[in-house]
Amino acid sequence: MKKKDWLWVFLPLIFSWGIDRVTKLWATTLTTHAFYGPVGFILHHNHGAILGIFSDLPSVLRIVSLSTGGAFLLFLFGILQFLLPTKSLALRAGLSFLIGGIIGNVTDRIVWSYVVDFIVVGSPQYFSPAFNFADAIQWVGYSLIVVAFLKEGKSLWPIENLRKSYWINPKFQLKYCFTLMLCGMGLTLILGTYSYTYLRVALNETQGIGGIQTAAFLGPFVMTFTIVSLTFCVVLFVVGLILSHRTVGPLYAFERFMNDYIDGKPAHLKLRTGDEFKELENLAKKLKKLNVANPKSSRSKSG
């Protein structure tokens, strides 16, 4: 991935979010129904997820959970963009359109506590549930992702690019994974303590809510935060496994190359896409050229 490639990856995200904000700000000025052929504009406040799902949940649980879920998906988006082994601009742009639409609706929940829907399809008498530009652009993202998998499925994760096992040096990799996971657990513990304490004090002092009512508000928060935190830690463990695999794998492959080289056997080193220490391939080529140029000297050294 070159710098200009990353520009094409993140432009769809910025475009999706920006257009969604502009159209929703315009939609808040709607006072009447307006239809232009099969497309109509009707202002609707959606307190749930897409098409009103989860709208019957308590407001605290609904708003905080859906907003946090959107932020977590943004985190996963960044991780996926970093870990994808190939360029695949169609897949990367599809993910950007998808997350751009999600973040557009998350912004609504943070700013307004509900999502602004205003687009319907049908007639003034019979029309579909209301949706918005963010919902529509997400389907563009889904389509690009499907197209990418259909056209580039084999090149995304080629079989020849896979090692037999992700656990090459279990002791080191487990240490790496648990270190990364413990850092995540520490971060979530700090944020959880701060958030819980802040909410509890705010409810008691500003709203005069205490006892059973406070527990009713904080219970869903604790449950949601615990689920998100555990999922976050699991994701960090998986990320640690992949990153450590990309570090240990090249070293293990180079060790096997050196053993074959010293023993006088045919030696070849080919690292996988995304591996670290790519310079080891050049070093291996130099050693093989040296062996060809000075076969007697190389055999005497190996002996």
Side-chain angles (χ1 to χ4, degrees):
M1 292 287 290
K2 300 178 181 178
K3 291 183 178 180
K4 64 178 182 180
D5 295 328
W6 285 113
L7 180 65
W8 288 110
V9 168
F10 288 103
L11 271 179
L13 191 157
I14 298 171
F15 169 80
S16 302
W17 182 85
I19 296 298
D20 181 64
R21 297 310 302 161
V22 171
T23 55
K24 285 175 178 174
L25 288 173
W26 169 80
T28 57
T29 64
L30 291 174
T31 55
T32 59
H33 300 178
F35 272 83
Y36 301 91
V39 179
F41 300 103
I42 301 173
L43 180 60
H44 173 71
H45 295 167
N46 181 358
H47 293 275
I50 185 172
L51 302 179
I53 300 174
F54 305 133
S55 58
D56 56 339
L57 293 177
S59 59
V60 173
L61 178 60
R62 182 182 66 248
I63 297 171
V64 173
S65 300
L66 293 176
S67 299
T68 304
F72 185 73
L73 289 175
L74 180 61
F75 164 74
L76 289 181
F77 166 78
I79 292 295
L80 282 174
Q81 292 287 1
F82 176 73
L83 293 179
L84 279 175
T86 57
K87 188 175 179 179
S88 186
L89 288 180
L91 176 60
R92 292 177 184 272
L95 290 171
S96 294
F97 277 120
L98 177 60
I99 200 66
I102 293 173
I103 297 304
N105 287 335
V106 168
T107 303
D108 283 9
R109 294 189 180 94
I110 295 174
V111 176
W112 294 321
S113 299
Y114 54 80
V115 174
V116 172
D117 290 332
F118 61 95
I119 305 173
V120 295
V121 178
S123 65
Q125 293 77 28
Y126 304 99
F127 49 83
S128 67
F131 59 97
N132 55 46
F133 180 82
D135 297 331
I137 205 68
Q138 287 179 54
W139 288 105
V140 174
Y142 288 128
S143 301
L144 284 174
I145 292 171
V146 171
V147 169
F149 274 104
L150 291 177
K151 288 188 174 182
E152 307 171 8
K154 293 183 179 179
S155 62
L156 290 176
W157 282 279
I159 297 177
E160 63 273 12
N161 194 50
L162 300 177
R163 294 189 174 92
K164 293 181 179 179
S165 174
Y166 264 89
W167 297 106
I168 300 171
N169 187 331
K171 183 178 179 180
F172 169 80
Q173 289 181 268
L174 282 172
K175 180 181 177 181
Y176 189 96
C177 294
F178 280 117
T179 299
L180 194 60
M181 191 172 69
L182 286 173
C183 290
M185 291 177 64
L187 177 62
T188 57
L189 179 62
I190 294 171
L191 292 177
T193 302
Y194 170 80
S195 303
Y196 179 86
T197 306
Y198 182 87
L199 285 174
R200 190 178 187 88
V201 172
L203 289 172
N204 289 337
E205 294 191 358
T206 63
Q207 303 297 324
I209 300 175
I212 298 176
Q213 288 180 307
T214 301
F217 277 97
L218 293 178
F221 166 78
V222 172
M223 179 185 67
T224 305
F225 188 86
T226 301
I227 294 173
V228 172
S229 298
L230 291 175
T231 306
F232 177 66
C233 291
V234 171
V235 170
L236 287 180
F237 185 90
V238 175
V239 170
L241 173 60
I242 295 173
L243 293 180
S244 63
H245 176 265
R246 292 182 176 183
T247 303
V248 177
L251 298 178
Y252 174 74
F254 188 72
E255 180 184 7
R256 292 182 58 185
F257 168 84
M258 288 301 300
N259 288 332
D260 291 340
Y261 178 81
I262 293 172
D263 294 339
K265 300 177 181 178
H268 179 70
L269 178 66
K270 177 63 176 177
L271 300 183
R272 272 64 171 175
T273 303
D275 276 349
E276 302 293 339
F277 306 116
K278 284 290 189 179
E279 60 273 13
L280 291 177
E281 286 186 344
N282 294 328
L283 180 58
K285 290 177 181 178
K286 290 180 180 179
L287 288 172
K288 291 178 70 175
K289 288 181 180 179
L290 179 63
N291 188 33
V292 172
N294 303 289
K296 295 182 179 180
S297 175
S298 299
R299 282 196 295 269
S300 63
K301 288 181 180 180
S302 63

